[in-house]
């Protein structure tokens, strides 16, 4: 049962996210019935499943929340911002109640939430909430059992059309059989002539005696599905088993036939006990009227689309990715050996293997990508909550949230982006009055835009607030005394000082973005993912953070090249063209520029940088790569072939540099270093 | 041949716990995550029992039952609806739309199989 509980917990997490995004939608469009229905439905599911898996507190709390949303669903009341904020907080509270064995603090918390929910209902309805109309779910309790068998008579007369709903009356008789000894008589009196029988109708009825230790409710339970489609009466015949006494049974049937009252027999001659006739309807309490839920159409903004998907443990995906990387390493060995042996059969197999493993790799790669959408709700939530507490009005605009990124990157991305948004809300966006004074829209805007550029994903986070203050940053830098070289720094470099550890520009230290610890962490995090972060800002207009991240961390398509004795991999995604070039054309002049096909562009000769440049080969290769919007040449000794690089992290010796993003093991067992072309060009040009 | 049961529920945990109990009891289990999905499963196949949640996205349980009952093969197939307590009107509604019966959450394996026995062998 425990793995189910784990599943349920994960599900509650998902439900909460969907509730949050739903509530945030409602905040904008309070009349959106589809969303209200969806919210009601999710709460209902949580209530039901919570009870199933022993999370009673979740079940109890969502029960009350469900009642609250029933008010909106039935259009009795209109939802307002207070309810939305209240619900968001309650959802946060639910996370703490995810326990199967609640302790006092959990119970107290649940009580608090339930009380608060009732207060919301009270506020809306202006009615006193009695325990009756807000009854917590009733848990099934064991019904008391009678120790000695009692004989009952059951008359079961099904309607003709009882079969239409899939009911098989014989199963019910069977079920009674399981509850005690039976004496069954079938009545054929309604059976028409064979030619008139409609096989879809039921013409039979049953009279039976049962001697059972079960109580009369249990017997009625057998017929619970057919109370509206059959006449069922149960009467007590005797307080002991009289099934063997045919005389008593026929006496009883006679009395029934004559419509006489039957007095239940006692083992000894005792004063009569009143006949017990139970109306099945009594068993049914009046319940809450539930209207059929309106269809949640496809265009429901957060409609779930899991129809054709399965959920896989992310750990398993990681393992799968790892195995695929190992497979690719093995494949490159096979390829190498088959090239050496030159056996056509082997080569054929090797080629097929290469193709398949490439497809498998792509497949694995796309499997591990998830859309940014999955975390967007966290950003929305932050803006919603924080703007309220800061008393600023801010809208969050998102674009390109369908952009997909490696799951591992997405997870690591949440904190940095949250931090940037927090900063924007706290320091960037001005107070309402300041914005009005500056003739700006009183409502601030923060936008997050994502897009895929080649093998990179670019995420731009921009606010239309006050912008960074160059002078303040300078002052701060001087007062900290750690950046003495300000005069020689460009404006851009000065702005980038905010990424230095322990830097804060806010005059007031608030509890929102704290003491400015963080932007350095943000930068480090992004760099750890082989990404980069840039800042641009204009006073009183905007602050813009541009984060660039690789799509994946583990495998890339590259070009295997050699320089001297060493191997280097250049990511295919940045390569524009490859030329061969004679050594004399590369003679170092005042600037390293090479002209090819009439276009001049700068180049770096890796042989010079890494091998002293003493024994330059006669002919080299220029690999033209994209750098920002320009072209740049990387000159290598030989271009070997295309290569799928499974990137492994570098050892300690190479940790300090950022020119290489990782290493890959070749089929021969030799190492190839994977070049981060952007970093290399920045460093050596 | 063991009987086939189709479960339609949007909650994975409920689906799994049902499937676990039913498989142990010797049934063959198919799973769908909502009404639309369930109809896809039923198309061209005959299951012996449909066990559907009431509240589901895209198409709820009652709508599903209405549609299923219109399929000739499924006129007499037993259908159970999963509900939570305090919904007696819902149970009537379920019956009216063609359900054979219902199963109230929370339930345990015993209650599940006991309920099943009312409608399937």
């Amino acid at each position: 049962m425990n793995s189910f509980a784990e599943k349920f917990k994960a599900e509650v997490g998902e439900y909460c996210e969907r509730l949050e995004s739903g509530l945030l939608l409602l905040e904008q469009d309070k009349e959106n019935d589809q969303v209200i229905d969806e919210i009601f439905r999710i709460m209902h599911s949580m209530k039901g499943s919570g009870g199933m898996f022993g999370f009673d507190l979740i079940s109890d709390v969502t029960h009350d929340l469900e009642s609250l949303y029933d008010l909106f669903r039935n259009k009795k009341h209109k939802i307002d911002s207070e309810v939305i904020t209240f619900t968001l907080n309650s959802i946060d509270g639910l996370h703490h109640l995810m326990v199967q064995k609640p302790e006092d603090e959990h119970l107290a918390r649940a009580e608090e939430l339930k009380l608060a929910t009732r207060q919301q209902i009270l506020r809306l309805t202006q009615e006193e909430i009695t325990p009756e109309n807000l009854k917590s779910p009733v848990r099934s309790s064991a019904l008391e059992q009678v120790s000695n068998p009692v004989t009952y008579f059951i008359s079961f007369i099904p309607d003709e059309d009882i079969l239409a709903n899939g009911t098989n009356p014989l199963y019910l008789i069977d079920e009674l059989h399981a509850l005690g000894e039976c004496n069954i008589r079938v009545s054929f009196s309604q059976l028409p002539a064979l030619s008139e029988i409609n096989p879809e109708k039921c013409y039979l009825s049953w009279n039976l005696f049962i001697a059972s230790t079960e109580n009369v409710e249990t017997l009625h339970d057998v017929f619970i599905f057919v109370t509206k489609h059959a006449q069922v009466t149960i009467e007590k015949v005797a307080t002991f088993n009289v099934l063997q006494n045919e005389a008593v049974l026929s006496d009883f049937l006679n009395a029934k036939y004559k419509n006489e009252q039957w007095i239940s027999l006692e083992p000894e001659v005792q004063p009569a006990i009143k006949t017990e006739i139970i109306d099945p309807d009594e068993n049914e309490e009046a319940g809450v009227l539930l209207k059929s839920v309106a269809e949640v159409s496809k265009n429901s903004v957060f409609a779930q689309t899991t129809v054709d998907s399965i959920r896989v443990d992310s750990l398993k995906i990681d393992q799968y990715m790892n195995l695929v990387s190992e497979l690719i390493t093995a494949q490159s060995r096979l390829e190498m050996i088959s090239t050496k042996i030159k056996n056509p059969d082997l080569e054929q197999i090797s080629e097929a293997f290469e193709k398949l493993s490439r497809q498998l790799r792509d497949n694995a790669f796309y499997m591990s990508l998830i859309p940014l959408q999955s975390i967007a709700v966290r950003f929305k939530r932050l803006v919603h909550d924080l703007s309220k507490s800061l008393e600023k009005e801010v809208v969050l605009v998102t674009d390109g949230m369908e952009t997909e990124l490696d799951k591992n990157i997405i997870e690591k991305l949440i904190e940095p982006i949250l931090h940037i948004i927090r900063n924007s809300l706290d320091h960037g966006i001005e107070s309402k009055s300041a914005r009005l004074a500056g003739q700006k829209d009183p409502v601030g805007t923060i936008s997050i835009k994502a897009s895929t550029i080649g093998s990179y994903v670019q995420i731009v986070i921009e606010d239309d607030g006050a912008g960074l203050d160059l002078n303040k940053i300078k002052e701060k830098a001087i007062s900290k005394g750690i950046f003495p070289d300000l005069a020689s720094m460009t404006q851009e470099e000065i702005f980038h000082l905010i990424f230095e550890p322990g830097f804060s520009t806010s005059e007031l230290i608030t509890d929102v973005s704290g003491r400015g610890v963080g932007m350095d962490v943000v930068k480090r995090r992004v760099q750890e993912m082989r990404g980069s972060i840039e800042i641009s800002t204009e006073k009183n207009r905007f602050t813009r953070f541009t984060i660039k991240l690789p799509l994946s961390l583990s495998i890339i398509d590259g070009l295997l090249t050699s320089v001297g004795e060493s191997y280097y991999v250049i990511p295919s995604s940045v390569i524009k063209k490859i030329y061969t070039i004679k050594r004399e054309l590369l003679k170092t002049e005042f600037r390293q520029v090479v002209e090819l096909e009439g276009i001049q562009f700068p180049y770096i000769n890796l042989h010079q940088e890494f091998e002293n440049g003493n024994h330059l080969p006669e002919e080299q290769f220029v690999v033209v790569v994209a750098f920002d919007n320009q072209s740049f040449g990387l000159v290598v000794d030989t271009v070997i072939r295309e290569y799928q690089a499974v990137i492994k992290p570098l050892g300690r010796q190479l940790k300090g540099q950022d020119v290489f993003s990782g290493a890959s093991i070749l089929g021969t067992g030799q190492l190839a270093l994977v070049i981060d072309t952007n970093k290399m060009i920045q460093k050596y040009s | 041949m063991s009987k086939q049961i189709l479960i339609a529920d949007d909650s994975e945990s409920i689906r799994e716990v049902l499937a676990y109990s039913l498989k142990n009891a010797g049934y063959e289990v198919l799973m769908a995550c909502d009404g639309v999905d369930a109809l896809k499963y039923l198309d061209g196949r005959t299951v012996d029992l449909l066990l559907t949640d009431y509240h589901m996205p895209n198409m709820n349980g009652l709508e599903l039952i209405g549609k299923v009952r219109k399929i000739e093969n499924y006129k007499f197939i037993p259908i159970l609806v999963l509900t939570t307590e305090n919904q007696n009107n819902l149970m009537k509604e379920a019956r009216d739309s063609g359900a054979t019966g219902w199963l109230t959450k929370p339930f345990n394996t015993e209650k599940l199989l006991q309920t099943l026995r009312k409608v399937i062998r």
Side-chain angles (χ1 to χ4, degrees):
Chain A
M1 202 70 174
N2 257 342
S3 70
F4 296 126
E6 289 309 315
K7 275 243 162 69
F8 171 70
K9 279 191 189 171
E11 228 167 62
V12 168
E14 243 168 61
Y15 281 144
C16 288
E17 272 172 33
R18 275 160 59 200
L19 285 175
E20 277 180 69
S21 52
L23 288 163
L24 294 168
L25 271 177
L26 271 188
E27 179 78 81
Q28 250 115 67
D29 176 11
K30 296 197 174 60
E31 313 259 300
N32 194 330
D33 294 342
Q34 279 180 5
V35 176
I36 291 176
D37 275 346
E38 171 88 356
I39 289 174
F40 178 84
R41 203 178 55 69
I42 292 173
M43 286 170 172
H44 186 84
S45 293
M46 280 168 88
K47 179 179 91 171
S49 305
M52 283 288 307
F53 301 110
F55 294 90
D56 292 348
L57 295 183
I58 298 267
S59 178
D60 288 354
V61 171
T62 43
H63 174 79
D64 285 0
L65 283 172
E66 186 191 354
S67 309
L68 173 61
Y69 275 80
D70 205 29
L71 298 177
F72 311 128
R73 201 162 147 266
N74 291 333
K75 302 216 173 22
K76 285 188 190 144
H77 298 275
K78 284 200 171 143
I79 195 160
D80 56 23
S81 292
E82 187 179 333
V83 170
I84 292 174
T85 306
F86 162 76
T87 316
L88 283 169
N89 291 334
S90 305
I91 293 168
D92 292 344
L94 281 180
H95 289 289
H96 300 288
L97 299 178
M98 231 141 27
V99 284
Q100 281 165 306
K101 291 189 185 109
E103 286 161 20
D104 287 350
E105 68 170 304
H106 298 120
L107 293 169
R109 217 171 185 148
E111 263 326 299
E112 233 170 73
L113 276 176
K114 279 155 72 180
L115 190 68
T117 313
R118 283 156 206 233
Q119 276 165 352
Q120 287 292 336
I121 297 177
L122 191 65
R123 179 177 68 83
L124 291 162
T125 59
Q126 305 291 327
E127 281 168 21
E128 190 57 55
I129 307 299
T130 60
E132 270 74 18
N133 55 27
L134 253 179
K135 202 163 51 174
S136 282
V138 187
R139 277 172 233 310
S140 49
S141 59
L143 292 163
E144 53 170 321
Q145 283 210 341
V146 189
S147 51
N148 288 317
V150 172
T151 307
Y152 295 97
F153 167 77
I154 300 173
S155 156
F156 173 40
I157 310 168
D159 292 352
E160 272 193 355
D161 58 0
I162 194 164
L163 305 176
N165 268 0
T167 308
N168 186 337
L170 290 180
Y171 291 164
L172 303 180
I173 305 294
D174 258 7
E175 205 185 336
L176 284 175
H177 243 307
L179 298 176
E181 191 185 341
C182 292
N183 179 320
I184 301 165
R185 293 136 204 255
V186 186
S187 161
F188 300 97
S189 60
Q190 301 301 312
L191 196 64
L194 187 59
S195 58
E196 279 161 38
I197 285 182
N198 177 347
E200 297 194 355
K201 296 212 182 296
C202 172
Y203 302 102
L204 305 181
S205 58
W206 285 263
N207 285 325
L208 60 89
F209 294 96
I210 180 168
S212 171
T213 52
E214 302 289 337
N215 61 26
V216 75
E217 281 80 16
T218 310
L219 298 181
H220 266 299
D221 263 358
V222 170
F223 300 97
I224 189 158
F225 293 160
V226 295
T227 49
K228 289 281 164 281
H229 296 78
Q231 292 171 41
V232 179
T233 45
I234 301 182
E235 287 175 52
K236 198 186 268 180
V237 180
T239 55
F240 57 103
N241 187 342
V242 293
L243 289 191
Q244 304 312 319
N245 192 336
E246 188 59 40
V248 172
L249 300 186
S250 40
D251 276 359
F252 177 87
L253 290 174
N254 269 330
K256 285 291 295 176
Y257 183 70
K258 291 181 195 154
N259 240 335
E260 287 170 4
Q261 216 181 22
W262 175 263
I263 293 156
S264 171
L265 300 178
E266 296 289 323
E268 297 139 7
V269 187
Q270 288 283 320
I273 292 170
K274 216 178 85 193
T275 310
E276 206 177 341
I277 300 176
I278 289 125
D279 177 3
D281 275 1
E282 271 179 15
N283 275 352
E284 297 184 5
E285 302 161 33
V288 190
L289 182 75
L290 280 171
K291 285 197 292 180
S292 135
V293 183
E295 197 177 324
V296 179
S297 69
K298 282 177 228 116
N299 60 18
S300 167
V301 190
F302 64 116
Q304 221 190 354
T305 48
T306 56
V307 180
D308 292 318
S309 67
I310 55 160
R311 191 178 333 177
V312 181
D313 191 336
S314 57
L315 218 72
K316 285 186 188 157
I317 291 269
D318 289 346
Q319 281 168 357
Y320 179 64
M321 287 296 280
N322 257 333
L323 288 175
V324 171
S325 350
E326 296 299 330
L327 183 73
I328 286 164
T329 310
Q331 177 267 319
S332 56
R333 284 197 66 188
L334 175 69
E335 191 185 351
M336 194 200 71
I337 291 167
S338 88
T339 323
K340 202 151 78 187
I341 294 175
K342 291 204 163 48
N343 175 327
D345 286 347
L346 183 63
E347 272 174 21
Q348 216 175 349
I349 294 172
S350 165
E351 268 169 36
F353 190 32
E354 197 267 326
K355 205 189 261 172
L356 284 173
S357 49
R358 186 194 297 268
Q359 283 170 357
L360 189 62
R361 180 207 63 172
D362 287 350
N363 196 293
F365 175 63
Y366 285 112
M367 210 182 278
S368 64
L369 294 187
I370 52 175
L372 275 169
Q373 191 68 57
S374 57
I375 53 171
V377 65
R378 310 248 327 235
F379 308 145
K380 287 186 186 156
R381 178 72 196 275
L382 178 71
V383 172
H384 175 269
D385 290 359
L386 202 54
S387 59
K388 281 217 163 131
S389 69
L390 289 170
E391 289 172 13
K392 291 177 182 176
E393 231 178 291
V394 182
V395 290
L396 179 72
V397 182
T398 56
D399 189 25
M401 287 299 115
E402 68 284 353
T403 308
E404 291 188 317
L405 267 168
D406 188 300
K407 180 182 67 62
N408 294 318
I409 298 183
I410 292 241
E411 278 164 12
K412 288 185 188 144
L413 200 56
I414 298 175
E415 272 313 313
I417 295 185
L418 283 179
H419 193 88
I420 292 172
I421 296 176
R422 224 176 274 138
N423 269 333
S424 285
L425 281 164
D426 197 15
H427 307 313
I429 306 271
E430 314 90 327
S431 68
K432 222 172 186 174
S433 52
R435 288 183 71 90
L436 283 169
Q439 291 185 327
K440 287 168 106 169
D441 185 340
V443 179
T445 305
I446 294 177
S447 68
I448 304 179
K449 288 178 183 151
S451 52
T452 311
I453 301 172
S455 66
Y456 274 78
V457 165
Q458 179 172 295
I459 301 168
V460 181
I461 305 152
E462 183 175 331
D463 69 61
D464 64 348
L468 290 182
D469 189 328
L470 190 68
N471 291 328
K472 256 192 210 166
I473 294 175
K474 275 186 187 166
E475 277 167 33
K476 195 55 137 253
I478 293 162
S479 74
K480 298 241 165 188
I482 9 174
F483 314 112
D485 204 17
L486 282 177
S488 67
M489 286 170 87
T490 65
Q491 193 165 315
E492 200 143 305
E493 283 168 329
I494 292 171
F495 286 137
H496 276 84
L497 288 178
I498 65 159
F499 291 117
E500 294 297 325
F503 201 91
S504 167
T505 58
S506 176
E507 286 155 17
L508 285 167
I509 290 165
T510 63
D511 59 352
V512 177
S513 30
R515 293 169 179 274
V517 289
M519 284 318 285
D520 56 324
V521 179
V522 169
K523 186 177 186 183
R524 202 170 341 123
R525 282 281 168 81
V526 171
Q527 283 177 338
E528 276 166 13
M529 296 183 266
R530 300 209 314 271
S532 64
I533 182 162
E534 298 291 324
I535 182 171
S536 63
T537 177
E538 194 172 316
K539 198 165 163 48
N540 291 328
R541 287 202 46 214
F542 67 86
T543 309
R544 182 188 302 139
F545 291 93
T546 307
I547 300 175
K548 276 188 191 162
L549 292 162
L551 271 177
S552 166
L553 297 177
S554 43
I555 310 180
I556 59 162
D557 262 323
L559 188 72
L560 184 64
T561 65
S562 74
V563 176
E565 301 279 292
S566 310
Y567 296 97
Y568 298 93
V569 175
I570 302 170
S572 300
S573 53
V574 296
I575 298 175
K576 288 177 148 180
K577 273 184 177 176
I578 304 170
Y579 300 94
T580 52
I581 194 161
K582 294 265 181 270
R583 191 171 72 184
E584 57 266 27
L585 289 173
L586 279 173
K587 279 204 174 111
T588 316
E589 287 154 26
F590 169 59
R591 269 187 321 147
Q592 293 205 23
V593 176
V594 63
E595 188 180 316
L596 288 162
E597 291 183 345
I599 305 163
Q600 281 196 335
F601 44 83
Y603 72 91
I604 302 168
N605 196 334
L606 299 190
H607 201 113
Q608 278 171 334
E609 303 296 342
F610 300 142
E611 304 280 333
N612 309 323
N614 287 340
H615 302 286
L616 279 175
E618 277 307 304
E619 194 176 70
Q620 281 187 296
F621 290 81
V622 181
V623 180
V624 182
V625 299
F627 175 65
D628 281 342
N629 291 323
Q630 305 152 25
S631 293
F632 212 97
L634 295 178
V635 180
V636 296
D637 292 358
T638 45
V639 166
I640 301 169
R641 62 191 157 90
E642 279 191 276
Y643 176 68
Q644 292 178 15
V646 178
I647 303 180
K648 303 275 179 192
L650 292 168
R652 241 176 307 159
Q653 293 95 323
L654 287 170
K655 263 270 144 74
Q657 57 73 44
D658 56 4
V659 174
F660 301 111
S661 50
S664 183
I665 304 165
L666 299 178
T668 54
Q670 284 167 295
L671 273 184
L673 291 168
V674 182
I675 296 175
D676 184 327
T677 54
N678 284 345
K679 300 274 167 57
M680 176 171 279
I681 293 164
Q682 276 166 5
K683 184 164 180 185
Y684 291 103
S685 63
Chain B
M1 208 184 79
S2 55
K3 301 262 181 184
Q4 275 195 335
I5 298 180
L6 174 65
I7 300 169
D9 198 314
D10 59 319
S11 158
E12 193 190 350
S13 54
I14 297 274
R15 280 203 304 269
E16 300 248 320
V17 80
L18 281 169
Y20 177 81
S21 305
L22 293 174
K23 278 180 189 159
N24 275 351
Y27 294 104
E28 213 176 292
V29 177
L30 298 166
M31 290 190 264
C33 66
D34 60 33
V36 178
D37 201 22
L39 281 178
K40 271 195 234 156
Y41 267 104
L42 294 178
D43 193 22
R45 187 201 309 247
T46 313
V47 302
D48 300 293
L49 173 80
L50 170 63
L51 195 55
T52 173
D53 192 18
Y54 176 74
H55 288 286
M56 290 186 292
N58 300 326
M59 186 193 291
N60 73 32
L62 298 197
E63 279 174 78
L64 170 66
I65 295 170
K67 292 213 159 83
V68 168
R69 286 286 183 227
K70 288 208 181 79
I71 308 173
E72 189 56 35
N73 279 356
Y74 284 95
K75 247 168 128 175
F76 300 104
I77 296 288
I79 302 177
L80 292 180
V81 183
L82 290 169
T83 64
T84 44
E85 47 287 297
N86 296 336
Q87 293 185 34
N88 289 299
N89 287 322
L90 177 67
M91 293 170 190
K92 282 178 202 136
E93 217 185 309
R95 260 316 282 208
D96 291 345
S97 57
T100 314
W102 52 86
L103 177 60
T104 317
K105 288 184 261 188
F107 53 81
N108 54 24
T109 305
E110 198 188 332
K111 186 172 157 199
L112 166 69
L113 297 178
Q114 200 186 332
T115 310
L116 242 57
R117 275 198 292 272
K118 287 187 203 295
V119 295
I120 187 176
R121 275 297 177 277

